[in-house]
Amino acid sequence: MVHSKVCHKLASYGVSGKLLGWLTDFLTNRVQSVKVNNSVSDYAPVKSGVPQGSVLGPVLFLIYINDLVDLFGEGLNVKLFADDLEIYAVINDINDINMFQAGLDALHDWSCTWQLPISIQKCSVLHLGRKNVGHSYFVNGVSLPNVQEVIDLGVAMDSNLRFIKHYRMIASKAHHRASLILRTFRSRDPKLLFKAFTVFVRPLLEYCSPVWAPVFKTDIDIIERVQRRFTKKLFGMRNLTYGDRLNKLNVDTLELRRLKSDLTMIFKIIHHDIKLDFDYFFGLRSVEYRVTRGHCFKLLKPICNNNARQFSFACRRIDAWNSLSNNVVCSQSAQVFKRSINFIDFNNFLLHELL
């Protein structure tokens, strides 16, 4: 981020007067040096970037890249997260291929104009669909590698929209972190150690779970094994079954927690608690069906032609959601909904065995 160009963009967005002058002074006329032991380098001017750790830094960066989405036509979809950019589109013919390549060319031209280089070595292309021709794309004349799997914001996914690598990756990290808890804490109090597990380990196993939640028993067991193994090593629980250990600790299986997380996400989408389009994910049953059978938010279960669709978030929990009562789905808030589903038996929708 070149300071003069940041100030130019601020002015183009209507920032002027004393505010623009203050922001300009905040960025410009800064110097830096490097200190190693007792040796200090000469001061050098800082002509780009923002002061690290400042509140304004992320805001100014977002302003700087705000016009990126205007580079692409209607056929290209763009998602931004911090300094990561993701472009995707449906490719049916050569025109779509040319459109996608034109978008990459526009992105490269923008990066040159605003002196924000693209890390081409970190870029890749993931082709989805059986009929995808797997065309090669280029940035600045460099061919982007076609990969079979990617890690997108911490979630590993392959070209078949499966998350097998993700299950193994998070389970391995979680096992390691759980072992550290048992080796580090002097206390043998099961409740204290499990509290540490919920703080330091369980978030690894539940991050973005509505996206990747497994549906096959073997995959479910890969993740559940982390909690099962940890609870077995707690004092006084070695000879208890997994179900008895969970009852003693008053906790749910990880599979059940993911089911409840999915249902809570459905509740938030239906009641517009989060900015996700309901029609993109679900469809409501006919009015007559909803009135005579079940609750007023009964969802339509779509016909699925492949596993990726059938096991996606928009389809896999519809039966569980439709089984809820009208009072539950019409809860006043998501917190009330969460408390309500804690008293519902979902065993018919679970595969993991409490052994």
Side-chain angles (χ1 to χ4, degrees):
M1 284 174 49
V2 179
H3 294 157
S4 60
K5 295 187 175 182
V6 176
C7 296
H8 172 78
K9 285 203 171 185
L10 288 171
S12 70
Y13 286 125
V15 179
S16 61
K18 291 183 178 180
L19 178 57
L20 180 60
W22 181 76
L23 291 171
T24 302
D25 292 340
F26 173 75
L27 292 171
T28 56
N29 299 322
R30 289 182 176 271
V31 294
Q32 66 181 7
S33 65
V34 179
K35 181 178 181 180
V36 179
N37 295 327
N38 294 324
S39 301
V40 181
S41 68
D42 296 333
Y43 285 101
V46 180
K47 299 181 180 180
S48 62
V50 293
Q52 297 298 305
S54 64
V55 176
L56 279 175
V59 176
L60 292 174
F61 178 76
L62 292 176
I63 292 174
Y64 197 71
I65 65 172
N66 187 60
D67 61 329
L68 256 179
V69 295
D70 299 330
L71 299 175
F72 311 99
E74 295 182 356
L76 294 181
N77 300 282
V78 183
K79 293 292 183 290
L80 291 168
F81 184 85
D83 60 346
D84 289 334
L85 180 143
E86 187 174 280
I87 309 171
Y88 58 96
V90 177
I91 305 297
N92 293 315
D93 51 35
I94 189 62
N95 293 327
D96 295 332
I97 292 174
N98 293 336
M99 175 191 64
F100 199 94
Q101 183 59 57
L104 294 177
D105 294 339
L107 175 63
H108 175 257
D109 293 340
W110 181 94
S111 71
C112 293
T113 300
W114 297 103
Q115 296 177 258
L116 200 64
I118 301 171
S119 298
I120 299 179
Q121 68 275 13
K122 296 181 180 180
C123 299
S124 59
V125 180
L126 179 70
H127 295 284
L128 304 176
R130 297 175 182 176
K131 297 181 180 180
N132 197 309
V133 296
H135 187 79
S136 295
Y137 298 94
F138 300 83
V139 173
N140 193 26
V142 179
S143 178
L144 301 181
N146 295 330
V147 297
Q148 295 300 312
E149 57 187 20
V150 294
I151 297 179
D152 186 11
L153 298 181
V155 178
M157 177 185 69
D158 65 20
S159 58
N160 293 315
L161 295 179
R162 296 180 301 182
F163 303 91
I164 298 175
K165 180 180 179 180
H166 185 72
Y167 308 147
R168 296 170 180 170
M169 180 178 69
I170 62 174
S172 176
K173 292 180 180 179
H175 277 302
H176 177 70
R177 196 171 291 186
S179 298
L180 286 177
I181 291 175
L182 294 173
R183 293 200 302 266
T184 303
F185 282 75
R186 285 188 175 183
S187 174
R188 296 295 93 187
D189 181 8
K191 291 187 177 180
L192 173 64
L193 293 176
F194 193 80
K195 182 66 176 179
F197 179 88
T198 62
V199 174
F200 297 110
V201 180
R202 203 160 66 185
L204 288 174
L205 302 171
E206 296 183 340
Y207 167 71
C208 284
S209 64
V211 174
W212 52 261
V215 293
F216 295 116
K217 188 175 183 302
T218 52
D219 298 330
I220 293 171
D221 287 341
I222 289 175
I223 300 172
E224 198 70 44
R225 195 176 299 127
V226 179
Q227 182 169 275
R228 186 172 64 237
R229 181 180 296 179
F230 182 83
T231 55
K232 191 175 183 65
K233 292 181 180 180
L234 297 178
F235 179 77
M237 296 195 180
R238 177 171 296 275
N239 296 323
L240 300 178
T241 65
Y242 183 42
D244 290 338
R245 297 198 296 272
L246 295 184
N247 289 333
K248 195 169 184 178
L249 294 168
N250 193 28
V251 294
D252 294 327
T253 65
L254 296 176
E255 182 187 9
L256 179 56
R257 286 179 57 84
R258 289 194 299 272
L259 186 150
K260 291 180 179 180
S261 178
D262 283 354
L263 293 177
T264 303
M265 181 63 72
I266 295 174
F267 177 90
K268 290 179 179 180
I269 293 174
I270 289 177
H271 292 274
H272 308 291
D273 291 343
I274 54 178
K275 196 173 181 180
L276 289 175
D277 187 2
F278 171 84
D279 294 330
Y280 183 82
F281 293 94
F282 308 111
L284 287 175
R285 290 268 196 176
S286 63
V287 176
E288 295 80 6
Y289 190 95
R290 283 181 274 146
V291 170
T292 59
R293 301 183 183 183
H295 52 74
C296 58
F297 292 112
K298 205 93 168 183
L299 298 178
L300 182 66
K301 191 167 185 178
I303 298 175
C304 303
N305 297 322
N306 54 63
N307 287 344
R309 172 63 173 164
Q310 180 180 354
F311 301 140
S312 67
F313 165 75
C315 299
R316 65 172 177 261
R317 302 303 190 192
I318 288 182
D319 288 339
W321 172 264
N322 288 343
S323 70
L324 301 177
S325 68
N326 197 70
N327 290 336
V328 173
V329 300
C330 294
S331 298
Q332 294 180 349
S333 67
Q335 293 299 324
V336 175
F337 177 81
K338 287 180 182 179
R339 291 195 295 268
S340 299
I341 61 178
N342 283 333
F343 300 99
I344 298 175
D345 184 5
F346 290 107
N347 285 330
N348 291 336
F349 304 102
L350 303 177
L351 294 177
H352 184 78
E353 298 176 1
L354 297 176
L355 299 178

